[in-house]
């Protein structure tokens, strides 16, 4: 395609930059808020899965079965379908099914099981010898969690959190197709449906920049927390 052809295909003077910045702010807001809650709930579920796995006792076994079942179910449902299934729940929680707030329940419920499974795997990688050494000194289960499991797995938790955050950005874009706001909705309504390819291009570039920035910062943070690099 010639430069003249590109100029006729992408018309940057047709872009409403106020709408772009507003949509960008909505995407950032959805990603940050949902990631904070996903991190909290994901760590809790990951610890539950790890602590109840292969542990003796009826209740530990039952809890592991129930939590594993729920995690596997919600992790398996495609995000766009999950949004539709959760519309009544979303309406009850945030009293609306459109806008950035309405996207939060679906974002959190879809990403938390994904992150929880990764956390469970990260915790299994912690040296069992270190855990036993701490226990031999009289540490209880909470001491092991706070002083061994979480500190030792921090680099992996950050790396997996980075992957989850990037997934959340793509989820916000998909949620935009049904009115959640953000760059996804802008690209779909103002770009695709209005046949304005420039808006779609700009929204895509901004999302790509977000992904690159999050990946860079996540890699740097994980490397800094890795004791092997000290």
């Amino acid at each position: 395609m010639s430069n003249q052809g590109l100029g006729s295909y992408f018309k940057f003077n047709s872009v409403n930059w106020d709408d772009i910045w507003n949509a960008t702010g909505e995407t950032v807001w959805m990603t940050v808020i949902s990631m904070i809650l996903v991190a909290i709930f994901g760590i809790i579920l990951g610890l539950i899965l790890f602590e109840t796995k292969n542990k003796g006792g009826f209740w530990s076994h039952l809890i592991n079965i129930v939590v594993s079942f729920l995690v596997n179910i919600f992790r398996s449902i495609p995000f766009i379908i999950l949004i539709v299934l959760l519309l009544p729940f979303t309406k009850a929680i945030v009293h609306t099914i459109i806008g950035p707030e309405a996207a939060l329940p679906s974002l959190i419920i879809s990403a938390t099981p994904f992150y929880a499974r990764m956390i469970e795997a990260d915790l299994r990688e912690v040296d069992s010898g270190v855990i036993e050494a701490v226990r031999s000194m009289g540490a209880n289960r909470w001491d092991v969690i706070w002083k061994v499991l979480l500190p030792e797995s921090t680099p992996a938790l950050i790396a997996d959190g980075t992957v989850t955050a990037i997934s959340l950005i793509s989820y916000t874009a998909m949620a935009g197709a049904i009115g959640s706001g953000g760059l996804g909705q802008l690209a779909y309504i103002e770009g695709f449906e209005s046949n304005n390819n420039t808006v779609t291009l700009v929204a895509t570039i901004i999302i790509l920049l977000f992904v690159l920035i999050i990946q860079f910062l996540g890699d740097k943070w994980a490397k800094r927390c890795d004791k092997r690099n000290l």
Side-chain angles (χ1 to χ4, degrees):
M1 184 179 291
S2 65
N3 292 335
Q4 185 177 0
L6 285 172
S8 62
Y9 192 75
F10 297 115
K11 300 177 180 179
F12 289 93
N13 59 358
S14 66
V15 176
N16 186 325
W17 292 102
D18 287 336
D19 289 344
I20 292 289
W21 303 135
N22 289 335
T24 300
E26 290 176 344
T27 295
V28 171
W29 184 84
M30 285 188 286
T31 303
V32 171
I33 298 300
S34 59
M35 187 61 217
I36 290 173
L37 295 174
V38 165
I40 295 172
F41 296 139
I43 289 173
I44 292 173
L45 287 179
L47 284 168
I48 291 174
L49 290 170
F50 175 79
E51 288 293 323
T52 58
K53 183 72 172 179
N54 298 325
K55 296 294 193 298
F58 170 79
W59 290 110
S60 292
H61 185 62
L62 178 61
I63 291 172
N64 187 268
I65 290 176
V66 172
V67 175
S68 294
F69 176 78
L70 293 175
V71 165
N72 291 337
I73 287 294
F74 285 103
R75 192 176 59 156
S76 302
I77 301 175
F79 179 71
I80 196 68
I81 297 176
L82 183 64
I83 296 176
V84 177
L85 291 176
L86 290 178
L87 284 178
F89 175 75
T90 300
K91 178 70 173 179
I93 295 297
V94 299
H95 309 296
T96 182
I97 58 173
I98 60 173
E101 295 86 357
L104 290 180
S106 300
L107 291 170
I108 295 166
I109 292 174
S110 65
T112 296
F114 176 70
Y115 190 42
R117 279 300 185 190
M118 291 193 290
I119 288 174
E120 181 191 12
D122 294 337
L123 296 175
R124 292 184 184 281
E125 295 298 319
V126 176
D127 189 349
S128 59
V130 177
I131 297 175
E132 292 303 322
V134 173
R135 284 176 176 167
S136 67
M137 291 186 289
N140 57 34
R141 178 170 293 185
W142 288 109
D143 290 331
V144 172
I145 290 173
W146 290 109
K147 297 180 180 179
V148 179
L149 289 176
L150 293 179
E152 290 292 324
S153 60
T154 294
L157 297 182
I158 294 172
D160 291 338
T162 302
V163 174
T164 305
I166 292 173
S167 297
L168 281 171
I169 292 177
S170 67
Y171 290 165
T172 64
M174 284 187 282
I178 61 169
S180 70
L183 291 166
Q185 178 173 313
L186 188 73
Y188 182 72
I189 295 179
E190 300 297 331
F192 176 73
E193 289 192 340
S194 301
N195 198 29
N196 190 337
N197 301 299
T198 312
V199 171
T200 304
L201 174 66
V202 171
T204 302
I205 291 174
I206 294 174
I207 290 174
L208 176 60
L209 289 175
F210 282 161
V211 170
L212 294 176
I213 291 171
I214 290 174
Q215 188 67 64
F216 174 78
L217 294 177
D219 289 344
K220 296 287 287 186
W221 189 14
K223 185 177 180 180
R224 177 170 294 184
C225 293
D226 195 338
K227 295 179 180 180
R228 293 171 297 180
N229 295 323
L230 298 178

